[in-house]
Amino acid sequence: MAMRLGGRSIPRVAVTAVAMVLVAEAGVWLLRPRPAPIPAAPVSAGDYFTQQQIDRGRDYSDGQLWLYGAALVVEGTVLTSLALGRPRWARRALRRVEPRKVVGPLVAGGALSLTLAVTGLPVAIASHERAVDFGLSTQDLGSWLGDVAKSALVGAVLAGVGGGILFALVRRFRTRWWIPGAVAVVAIGAVTSWLAPVVIAPLFNKFTPLPAGSQTRSEVLALARRAGVDVGGVYRVDASRRVTALNAYVDGIGSSKRVVLYDNLINDSDRAELRSVVAHELGHVKHDDILRGLAFVALIAPLGIVFVLQLADPLLRRAGIAPGSPAALPAYALGLFLASFVLGTVGNQLSRRVEASADTFALELTHDPRAFIQLQRQLTISNVGDPSPPGVLQFLLGTHPSADQRIGAAVDFKSLSPKPSAG
């Protein structure tokens, strides 16, 4: 079916795609942190990084960008081929599980996830080897492949569960499955946010609560008290056995909420820089940014799933596949792949605003722009990042403000508040 506008036929999927993007943009506006973060003063990357550091970061980023594009092409090609019922052996394999109404979707979801992991492996290996060459990864290939296998198995289990839920909804609600489907997406996101820190993350790393009385824990809790934030747990993760990068993050909701610090960060940063990064993470807790992300998902999920449905329907008709058959899964997965890419690009606008707001919170809490600037230098150099990426790439793919923008915000804050506090 199609809509007619001005004498020209426009597929419903195109109209839905436009509406999906508009709703996502509205969600970015509605959920953006207020008040606005500190504006970034114009700065030159050359004032804070050597030319060698800038060139190295750009070289690494450019290569990884090409590999990211290659990974998208591979995944899109595989999903499109399977959605069209090719190759025939794959279609026959999916049809064999069709009679098993309960197990079939679980098997199909897991098999599809593993297929994507295997076909994407060459690009992933190339990406890992570049990370090793640039000194970012400390893992040898064997250890890294072990992690990939573990991740693939976890992904297969989750995809199998997702496939089971999808086809239960399709069979129960038929063309209206997108309504409970949107609710299911938000529910799954909330459950995953709650369980991931205590179930999935420990499969890959060792998380150790910072001991009572330790200097780092005391400083984190002191900052939290000043900020009026309940941080939940404070953990150290053994990131150094995989990467040389410095990082910290907030994870979990409710009883699983925690602040996680890389051991690299604890070992390689001075106390002022550590306070700065902790203050940034406390900003995420203070602003309920994980719940903000779930709210964004709730806004975009309905039209996103309608897009998936409308894209899948003609593919299934062309391939002669029933919507409730496990063989239909690649068509739905292709729609989800495209919707996730488009909506993720829009969502990056919200992510950058959220990160900039957390930066502002950190500067106001620590009142130490010098430490904040030094932290951004450390993060960029250790992560082999481009301090000033091209504007188009930053707009499409950037989840954080660029290093020069974050430094610029600290410079602006410094000009307004030139007297840092002692502690």
Side-chain angles (χ1 to χ4, degrees):
M1 295 180 64
M3 297 179 60
R4 291 189 177 276
L5 182 63
R8 298 181 62 186
S9 179
I10 301 177
R12 287 189 304 170
V13 66
V15 175
T16 302
V18 172
M20 178 178 72
V21 171
L22 292 176
V23 168
E25 290 287 0
V28 171
W29 179 85
L30 181 66
L31 294 171
R32 71 193 192 281
R34 297 178 178 82
I38 298 171
V43 299
S44 171
D47 293 337
Y48 298 92
F49 302 92
T50 67
Q51 191 60 48
Q52 181 182 15
Q53 290 166 344
I54 294 172
D55 291 342
R56 185 168 181 265
R58 287 177 179 169
D59 185 18
Y60 180 71
S61 298
D62 288 349
Q64 295 305 98
L65 178 63
W66 280 105
L67 290 172
Y68 170 71
L72 290 178
V73 171
V74 169
E75 185 171 350
T77 300
V78 170
L79 287 174
T80 301
S81 298
L82 293 174
L84 294 174
R86 302 168 186 159
R88 291 181 180 179
W89 63 264
R91 181 175 175 180
R92 286 196 299 268
L94 286 171
R95 286 194 179 280
R96 286 196 186 99
V97 301
E98 186 170 335
R100 301 174 176 85
K101 291 188 177 180
V102 176
V103 177
L106 302 178
V107 173
L112 179 59
S113 178
L114 290 174
T115 297
L116 294 175
V118 171
T119 54
L121 189 57
V123 176
I125 290 175
S127 179
H128 167 71
E129 290 303 305
R130 291 193 81 248
V132 171
D133 291 343
F134 277 82
L136 185 58
S137 174
T138 59
Q139 278 189 293
D140 59 34
L141 185 59
S143 171
W144 178 83
L145 286 173
D147 279 348
V148 170
K150 195 184 300 183
S151 179
L153 290 175
V154 171
V157 171
L158 296 177
V161 173
I165 294 173
L166 168 64
F167 286 107
L169 295 177
V170 170
R171 290 164 179 166
R172 174 65 178 83
F173 297 97
R174 299 189 183 277
T175 58
R176 297 182 183 274
W177 69 266
W178 63 271
I179 300 173
V183 176
V185 166
V186 178
I188 291 171
V191 171
T192 302
S193 296
W194 176 48
L195 290 179
V198 294
V199 176
I200 298 177
L203 296 175
F204 298 91
N205 285 98
K206 182 179 180 181
F207 293 82
T208 307
L210 292 182
S214 67
Q215 181 179 6
T216 300
R217 176 178 164 79
S218 298
E219 289 181 350
V220 171
L221 294 180
L223 277 173
R225 285 193 296 270
R226 284 173 53 193
V229 170
D230 176 16
V231 298
V234 183
Y235 287 79
R236 172 192 182 114
V237 60
D238 61 339
S240 60
R241 70 188 188 89
R242 286 188 175 86
V243 296
T244 59
L246 309 180
N247 204 359
Y249 61 91
V250 170
D251 207 2
I253 56 177
S255 60
S256 68
K257 181 170 62 176
R258 59 185 57 187
V259 173
V260 179
L261 308 176
Y262 277 27
D263 56 352
N264 300 335
L265 180 71
I266 296 174
N267 297 333
D268 299 340
S269 299
D270 67 27
R271 309 317 298 177
E273 293 162 14
L274 184 61
R275 286 194 294 272
S276 188
V277 73
V278 169
H280 173 95
E281 300 306 325
L282 292 177
H284 287 309
V285 179
K286 182 76 171 182
H287 301 154
D288 291 321
D289 287 333
I290 291 179
L291 295 180
R292 190 193 308 274
L294 289 174
F296 183 71
V297 171
L299 285 173
I300 64 177
L303 277 176
I305 295 180
V306 170
F307 172 83
V308 171
L309 174 63
Q310 292 186 347
L311 181 71
D313 276 352
L315 293 173
L316 296 178
R317 287 197 300 269
R318 177 174 177 177
I321 298 173
S325 164
L329 185 60
Y332 293 126
L334 176 62
L336 182 61
F337 167 75
L338 295 173
S340 298
F341 178 78
V342 172
L343 293 174
T345 299
V346 178
N348 285 342
Q349 300 172 44
L350 179 61
S351 177
R352 290 192 295 273
R353 183 69 174 259
V354 164
E355 295 296 337
S357 181
D359 284 347
T360 295
F361 183 88
L363 287 164
E364 292 175 344
L365 181 62
T366 64
H367 213 89
D368 193 349
R370 184 200 63 78
F372 184 90
I373 291 172
Q374 183 58 24
L375 172 66
Q376 298 310 315
R377 291 189 67 257
Q378 284 252 76
L379 291 175
T380 303
I381 294 169
S382 69
N383 295 339
V384 198
D386 182 352
S388 53
V392 173
L393 292 180
Q394 176 68 4
F395 177 79
L396 293 176
L397 304 178
T399 58
H400 290 60
S402 61
D404 58 353
Q405 291 171 334
R406 302 180 83 170
I407 290 172
V411 169
D412 188 86
F413 179 85
K414 185 176 181 181
S415 69
L416 296 174
S417 306
K419 296 181 180 180
S421 66

